[in-house]
Amino acid sequence: MMLITSRGTGRWVMPKGNIGPRMPAHVAAAKEAEEEAGILGAVCPVPLGSYRYRKLRGSGASLMIDVDVFPLAMTRELDRWKEQDERERRWFTLEEAADAVDEEDLGRLIQSFATSDFKSAASRTRLFEAVPGHSKVHHMFAWFQRLLPKTGNFFEQFEAHAATVLAGAEATARLMSGGEDSAEHIREIIERENDADEITREVLQEVRRTFLTPFDRASITSLIGALDDTVDEMQAAAQAISLYEFTAFTPEMRDMAAIAVDAARLTSEAMPLLRDVAKNAKRLHELTERLIRIEGHADAIHTEGLRRALAEHGGTDTLRFVIEREIYKHLERIVDAFEDVADQIDGIVIDHA
């Protein structure tokens, strides 16, 4: 997590500022991140939470301020930015960031963002050595624990698949941010989908040949199927964008892609927790609750995007409207698939906790 220093006291803080007229809060947050920290990325329009702090005004008054915090997945770190001579910026581990800030509420919020810490396995299967190497899956998602042979490698497979989905979501957000590298982002999304298919095939084969499974077979196949649907729709969106050579991404499209990134992050945290459902039931419920909440927010953004497309192109450029509608359709299905993942996790929690 990146923190910056405040201009007045030099203490470590998050980029933040006032919301401009008729500007959505998450857009204002992204603007502050660019101006104060030199960071561009996909900002999820659903806040993680909020915290309070006292701000000293020019009048001498010390007033309590409420701050909403939005997750932003970085796609680019600028070499030069507006306030670079006024602040220091630094990347922290989540634990270090929570300790560095003064506000207790913000520290707890940062800690809640952290994924759970799980030990790596002493050995890995050939498949899970190949996927991180081929896909460049970040090491923080390589949570592999050795299981007894009779139980299969389902937890490893879930975690590897979720890491691949997260990488695909981040590539989708980079694609929606525009620029000249769209062909590379599209290629990466397709490669991630191929990696996910390989893991899904392994799971389905493992289900058939394993005597003792950690959950009933229907739950395993339904969960991996829902996971796979998310990246399938990412690929479908990327292929539509490639086919139509579409580059005019709307704010609603970028917002939905950012929601997909946050949903993938939540899913990646949830997978290792399935190793001990009874112990982690509360946290799993918190994660699925947010997944369902942001899916509802995505529905509203999808409707607003279609309304904008119809108003701007419905009567003058029917082809443009049809293209935008198809892209919105796939973006909505991505987030819908994450809601299905949440439903599958909830079912497992109900059965085993």
Side-chain angles (χ1 to χ4, degrees):
M1 178 174 288
M2 174 176 282
L3 298 178
I4 59 173
T5 54
S6 67
R7 285 183 294 192
T9 63
R11 62 193 179 87
W12 291 107
V13 297
M14 281 185 170
K16 60 184 180 294
N18 295 321
I19 302 172
R22 308 184 77 176
M23 178 182 289
H26 69 289
V27 174
K31 182 174 180 290
E32 296 297 336
E34 178 180 357
E35 292 181 354
E36 297 185 359
I39 291 296
L40 302 177
V43 57
C44 179
V46 184
L48 285 171
S50 62
Y51 71 97
R52 310 186 98 191
Y53 80 107
R54 286 200 172 274
K55 182 176 179 64
L56 183 64
R57 312 296 292 186
S59 65
S62 180
L63 303 180
M64 190 69 75
I65 305 295
D66 290 305
V67 183
D68 285 334
V69 179
F70 296 86
L72 185 146
M74 186 198 74
T75 57
R76 185 181 173 196
E77 186 173 347
L78 301 177
D79 294 327
R80 298 193 59 79
W81 65 99
K82 184 177 179 180
E83 298 185 13
Q84 68 176 42
D85 296 327
E86 304 173 56
R87 303 177 187 274
E88 181 184 351
R89 68 180 182 184
R90 185 186 303 173
W91 288 101
F92 291 82
T93 66
L94 292 169
E95 183 178 355
E96 291 169 343
D99 289 338
V101 298
D102 288 345
E103 300 83 2
E104 291 185 9
D105 289 348
L106 177 57
R108 285 193 292 269
L109 191 60
I110 292 172
Q111 289 173 336
S112 74
F113 190 72
T115 51
S116 301
D117 183 19
F118 281 82
K119 296 180 180 179
S120 297
S123 63
R124 300 174 182 172
T125 65
R126 180 186 57 80
L127 170 65
F128 300 108
E129 290 173 344
V131 169
H134 177 65
S135 299
K136 306 295 189 292
V137 174
H138 195 279
H139 66 85
M140 73 176 291
F141 298 109
W143 293 306
F144 300 127
Q145 279 190 317
R146 181 183 298 165
L147 301 175
L148 294 173
K150 64 180 180 180
T151 65
N153 297 316
F154 297 110
F155 295 120
E156 296 177 10
Q157 292 161 331
F158 291 151
E159 292 160 23
H161 199 296
T164 306
V165 166
L166 177 58
E170 291 173 339
T172 302
R174 289 193 295 271
L175 173 60
M176 295 288 171
S177 68
E180 299 178 354
D181 300 323
S182 60
E184 293 184 358
H185 301 319
I186 290 169
R187 177 180 173 181
E188 180 181 358
I189 293 166
I190 293 171
E191 289 178 353
R192 301 294 188 181
E193 193 276 337
N194 291 335
D195 287 344
D197 279 349
E198 183 180 354
I199 299 170
T200 300
R201 284 192 294 271
E202 270 294 309
V203 170
L204 297 178
Q205 291 172 5
E206 195 83 2
V207 166
R208 290 193 294 269
R209 64 180 176 233
T210 301
F211 173 72
L212 180 62
T213 58
F215 315 123
D216 65 84
R217 285 167 170 75
S219 296
I220 292 172
T221 57
S222 295
L223 177 57
I224 200 66
L227 280 169
D228 206 48
D229 287 343
T230 64
V231 72
D232 285 346
E233 288 299 334
M234 292 175 200
Q235 182 187 42
Q239 289 174 330
I241 290 165
S242 177
L243 174 63
Y244 300 121
E245 298 181 348
F246 188 82
T247 58
F249 301 106
T250 66
E252 290 84 4
M253 291 177 184
R254 290 192 289 271
D255 284 350
M256 292 184 74
I259 285 177
V261 173
D262 199 42
R265 175 189 65 82
L266 295 168
T267 301
S268 290
E269 179 180 352
M271 290 303 106
L273 301 179
L274 294 176
R275 293 176 181 267
D276 191 339
V277 176
K279 176 182 176 182
N280 300 311
K282 181 176 182 294
R283 181 57 177 163
L284 283 166
H285 176 69
E286 292 171 351
L287 295 172
T288 58
E289 186 177 45
R290 178 168 172 84
L291 279 169
I292 293 169
R293 182 159 61 94
I294 64 178
E295 189 278 335
H297 203 98
D299 283 345
I301 295 171
H302 172 257
T303 300
E304 186 59 34
L306 285 180
R307 184 179 290 115
R308 178 206 289 262
L310 182 61
E312 294 181 354
H313 311 296
T316 58
D317 190 345
T318 304
L319 179 60
R320 171 69 177 271
F321 172 72
V322 170
I323 292 171
E324 288 200 11
R325 184 176 63 181
E326 180 174 352
I327 294 171
Y328 276 120
K329 176 188 70 176
H330 293 301
L331 290 171
E332 183 187 33
R333 287 179 177 177
I334 292 170
V335 186
D336 284 348
F338 279 114
E339 185 183 29
D340 290 341
V341 172
D343 290 340
Q344 296 302 324
I345 293 172
D346 277 339
I348 291 171
V349 172
I350 290 170
D351 289 342
H352 296 271

